[in-house]
Every structure is written in structure tokens, then in C-alpha cells.
Amino acid sequence: MAVASGVVAQPLFRAPVGTRDLLPPESARRRRLVAVFADLAERTGFGLLESPIFEDLGVFQRLGADNEVVTKELFEFFDKGDPPRHLALRPELTASVCRAFAEHRPTQPWKIWYSGPQFRYERPQAGRYRQFDQVGVETLGTDDPHADVEVIGLGLRFYEALGMKQVRLLINSLGDATSRPAYDAALAAYLRSRRDELSEQSQITLERNPLRVLDSKREQDQPVIAEAPVMADFLSGESAEHFVAVRAGLDSLDAAYEVSPRLVRGLDYYTRTTFEFVADALDTAQNAVGGGGRYDGLVEDLGGPATPGIGFALGVDRILLACDAEGTFAAAPAPVEVFVVDTAGGQSAAVLCDRLRQAGLGVDRAFDGRSMKAQMKRADRSGAAVAVIIGPDEQAEGAVTVRDMRPGGGQRQVASDDVVSAVTEILAEEA
Ligand code: AMP
């Protein structure tokens, strides 16, 4: 747009709808959250898998033809190949983990953790974004109920490690290939008998995949869902036994859970154990802070050998919202311990900062030859416990002034070669 002066105003770009810039200190808080998760996961024997952000579209199509994540929410594109490849940004990571398993055939059980952004073209709202972060784990190659317990227990311990107290665990069993058809038939018959009471969307879903109707969050559907037949009455002996063992395992860990007989999950591939973590501190509709379950057919669908698997994905964005609501795991500013104030041109500060940083300390400084007063203000704001001050007098003597920034803290002059030990001494006193 041309303005009066003849200067062309540049358009002001914003982050795309449904995405956000994560600025400090919030970005540092996320990094800490992932570090807490990584530590727990690695101490539980999970190794990190870093897979591509995009995959062949087909990888995600295996998540289910009736699934909105696949039918409506994928960010799909063609690359510049000849012929072009049809690709998609990942909407979740379980499919990628199974694809990687089928590709590399690692030793089993394969215990993998991951973290990173996922992409879904959803309608943005509080706690729901088009780019969001997840952390998660998957254990492939065993259907031992203890593996389910290990995975679910890890999730619970993670929320605890963040200081969250208001997370509820809901669990259910979706049965296996032998129990599912009878249940699906009974459910379909029931839902059809009350078809007129369902929302328009659920009436469509009913014809495609009755189980998915249970996942509807629409108000209108709730009375019908509340009286639907439950899977528990249809479980095969084997599935029932598996579910009993999972619950006994959780009991032995003193893990509180609620059996939620109509809990199904968004993606179609789940069998047997399914679970969800709900944050009661969030009063929005988006209060699921994580979920997962067993998927005993997905690796095979991706061209690998029949391989059972269990895992979960936790939503980082929502967990942080829930932490805010609970007043835990607060954002902390960058850990600056020392602030160097240089009123002698700035070159000495460069050398002192380098020396102190090499000694492992968190160090910041001012730029642009600011006045003493302005630099001391910065030092105050930085939260540093110690200020190292160098002016023309100190510089002439090869010295620096080291000031304890606590109220009433003193200061002394030391040889600039002794700056590290002088600073460390004050920090040790504070600790
Ligand atoms: P799902 O794979 O849909 O079960 O998602 C697992 C977790 O990821 C959910 O419990 C949410 O915490 C989080 N999540 C899913 N979709 C979104 C989204 N669009 N925005 C933010 N978080 C999400």
C-alpha cells in the first residue's frame, strides 16, 4: 500500500491461524517439560525416536478411513518429484513409530519415546491448535499387560513430576478381533433404535462406524451415549483377563483410575486397553491432556509383521494450561547468575563474560555503551545474584568490582584474573 510519503508499507505478517510463537520464558518452560519427560522415559528404558515431520500420506491413511483426523484435518501436499509424491504433515506420531518399526525391524520389545510438533487442520480454540506439541511413548512387540501398566504408570508419574494433582486416569478395554464384531453389532442396533435423537453428524458417523459415535462430545448425543451397551459385556475371555491384569497392575502401583465403560479414542486402530488422562483444572471442553492405548494391528497395516503395541501421546500445550490452572510448574526466567557492567567501552565485558561462562556460570551483559545507571538497572532486572563492574579506574588497575546484589550485600575490588573465584564465593554463600 502506498502512503503519502511515497514509502511502501510492508505487510505485517502474523503467525498462521492456529499457530503461535512461543516466546521466552514460556519456550524455556516447554523445554524443561520435555526434559522432565525425557528423563523419566529414559529411566524407564525408552529410547528417543526422531522421525520425519512429514510422511507419505498412506502412512496416516492407515489410521482409519472414518477418522476426521485423516479425512478432514491432514495438512497434505505434493512435493516437486516426477511424479510428485503425496505427503502429509504428521497429525500424531504412533503411525510414524509403527512405520519406522516396519522399516527397521528392531529388537523387541522396542521402547520408544518422542516429542515434537503435530499438525491438524482443526478449528482453533482454547487448548486446540493447528500446530501443537506432544510427548509420548510406544512399546512395540509385547502384549504383556505389565507393558500396559508400565506405560500408563509412566504417564501418571510424569504429571506428578510436574506437580499436577488434578489429573484423572480413565481406562477401558475395547476388546479384540473376536469380541469387537458382536459389540459393534449390538451398538449399531441400539444407536439405530435411537437414531432420531442423535445429532446430524452422529447420524452420519453411525452409518460409517458406530463405535465412533461414542466419541462425540456433542451435548445432544450424550443421553443416547449414556445408555449405550458397554464393551465390558462383550469382551472375549482373553480380553477380559488382560483387562483384569492391567487393573491389578495399576492397583499394585496405587494408581487411581476410573473404569469408563464407554471410553473410545479418536483413532480407529485401538484394541483392548484404552485410556485417557483428564485435567479437572481445565474447565474447557478440551480437558484431555493425554491418551493412548493398545493397537495390535497397526504395524501389520503398515506392511510390517503382526506386532502388538501400546503407547500414549500427551498434549504439551494443554498440560501447560492445566499447570497454569493448578499453579504449578511455573515459567522461570533465563538463569542469569552474573551480570557484567562495563562503562569502559565494552571490550572488557566481552572478555569477562567469556571467562565466567567458560567456568560454567550464567552470565549476561549490556550493549551500546549505556550509562552506569542504565546498566545497573539491567543487572537488577536480570535477577543476577552478582554484578561484576568494570569502569575506566578498574580497567587501569587490572581490577574489577564484584558486588553482591542481595539487599545489604557488600562489594569489593579484586584482580580481574580472580573474578571467577570471587564470584563463585558469593554464589556459594547465597546457596
Ligand atoms: P490424540 O492423539 O487426539 O489422542 O491426542 C493426544 C493428546 O494431544 C490430547 O489428549 C491433547 O492433549 C493433545 N491434542 C490433540 N489435538 C490437539 C490440538 N489440536 N491442540 C492441542 N492439543 C491437542
Side-chain angles (χ1 to χ4, degrees):
M1 183 178 65
V3 292
S5 65
V7 177
V8 177
Q10 298 299 328
L12 175 65
F13 290 110
R14 292 178 181 282
V17 173
T19 72
R20 294 152 304 150
D21 296 311
L22 296 160
L23 310 177
E26 185 62 19
S27 49
R29 183 189 190 206
R30 279 176 178 256
R31 204 162 64 94
R32 265 198 301 135
L33 180 142
V34 173
V36 170
F37 186 78
D39 176 60
L40 255 178
E42 294 196 340
R43 284 194 288 113
T44 314
F46 289 84
L48 173 66
L49 173 71
E50 295 197 62
S51 64
I53 300 253
F54 56 87
E55 299 266 3
D56 272 311
L57 176 70
V59 170
F60 304 123
Q61 283 173 331
R62 299 300 183 279
L63 297 174
D66 303 316
N67 193 296
E68 288 192 5
V69 168
V70 178
T71 55
K72 294 199 192 138
E73 297 174 3
L74 280 182
F75 280 88
E76 308 170 37
F77 58 99
F78 290 92
D79 73 4
K80 298 183 191 343
D82 183 18
R85 299 169 192 86
H86 201 170
L87 303 167
L89 298 182
R90 63 188 187 200
E92 56 107 65
L93 260 157
T94 307
S96 299
V97 174
C98 291
R99 194 269 308 141
F101 179 88
E103 185 174 333
H104 304 289
R105 309 285 166 102
T107 321
Q108 302 171 27
W110 199 43
K111 291 173 51 169
I112 283 304
W113 76 272
Y114 56 74
S115 80
Q118 319 298 330
F119 305 85
R120 296 182 193 175
Y121 195 80
E122 296 197 86
R123 195 166 54 78
Q125 52 183 279
R128 201 205 264 176
Y129 312 99
R130 289 184 178 168
Q131 175 175 337
F132 58 97
D133 281 323
Q134 288 183 338
V135 291
V137 294
E138 312 288 344
T139 298
L140 285 154
T142 170
D143 67 356
D144 187 333
H146 294 302
D148 303 39
V149 173
E150 181 176 86
V151 162
I152 297 171
L154 170 58
L156 288 171
R157 297 297 176 239
F158 173 59
Y159 295 118
E160 277 169 26
L162 299 178
M164 297 173 77
K165 298 202 164 64
Q166 301 173 47
V167 177
R168 265 183 308 131
L169 165 62
L170 310 179
I171 63 170
N172 190 21
S173 174
L174 288 182
D176 51 28
T178 51
S179 28
R180 266 297 255 289
Y183 177 62
D184 285 348
L187 181 64
Y190 164 80
L191 291 173
R192 283 201 190 101
S193 75
R194 297 186 64 176
R195 192 171 191 281
D196 295 346
E197 298 167 62
L198 290 171
S199 65
E200 207 174 307
Q201 185 58 48
S202 287
Q203 291 187 19
I204 297 169
T205 312
L206 166 59
E207 293 321 316
R208 300 172 63 102
N209 188 341
L211 193 66
R212 308 258 324 111
V213 174
L214 298 185
D215 204 27
S216 160
K217 301 280 182 278
R218 281 173 278 270
E219 202 59 50
Q220 186 184 343
D221 298 327
Q222 299 315 312
V224 179
I225 291 173
E227 288 166 25
V230 293
M231 186 73 220
D233 296 332
F234 293 81
L235 289 183
S236 66
E238 213 181 321
S239 276
E241 236 171 72
H242 193 273
F243 195 38
V244 166
V246 171
R247 287 185 344 234
L250 290 172
D251 290 336
S252 72
L253 300 184
D254 286 330
Y257 58 85
E258 293 165 31
V259 174
S260 176
R262 292 179 188 84
L263 174 71
V264 294
R265 305 240 324 119
L267 303 174
D268 289 346
Y269 52 71
Y270 287 102
T271 54
R272 297 199 265 187
T273 314
T274 42
F275 54 96
E276 199 153 83
F277 298 105
V278 175
D280 287 331
L282 293 178
D283 53 7
T284 60
Q286 315 299 325
N287 65 351
V289 285
R294 188 162 269 295
Y295 43 91
D296 294 348
L298 189 56
V299 176
E300 214 173 352
D301 285 347
L302 285 161
T307 310
I310 169 109
F312 64 59
L314 314 181
V316 169
D317 308 81
R318 280 188 211 165
I319 292 173
L320 289 172
L321 288 172
C323 283
D324 288 340
E326 285 204 40
T328 184
F329 201 69
V336 173
E337 299 166 284
V338 188
F339 198 95
V340 177
V341 170
D342 180 348
T343 57
Q347 178 56 33
S348 301
V351 175
L352 287 165
C353 283
D354 186 51
R355 199 178 290 166
L356 290 159
R357 285 172 188 148
Q358 286 201 57
L361 297 167
V363 188
D364 203 0
R365 58 165 293 175
F367 296 106
D368 301 321
R370 297 287 167 95
S371 70
M372 173 77 172
K373 196 172 154 204
Q375 292 194 45
M376 283 311 297
K377 214 179 198 176
R378 279 288 181 78
D380 257 335
R381 250 193 252 139
S382 75
V386 183
V388 171
I389 304 160
I390 182 156
D393 294 347
E394 280 103 342
Q395 198 173 42
E397 291 170 40
V400 295
T401 297
V402 177
R403 182 184 294 181
D404 184 339
M405 298 288 280
R406 283 175 298 184
Q411 65 176 47
R412 68 190 171 103
Q413 201 164 319
V414 300
S416 60
D417 283 346
D418 296 335
V419 67
V420 171
S421 57
V423 165
T424 319
E425 228 168 75
I426 300 181
L427 291 173
E429 258 173 47
E430 301 214 338

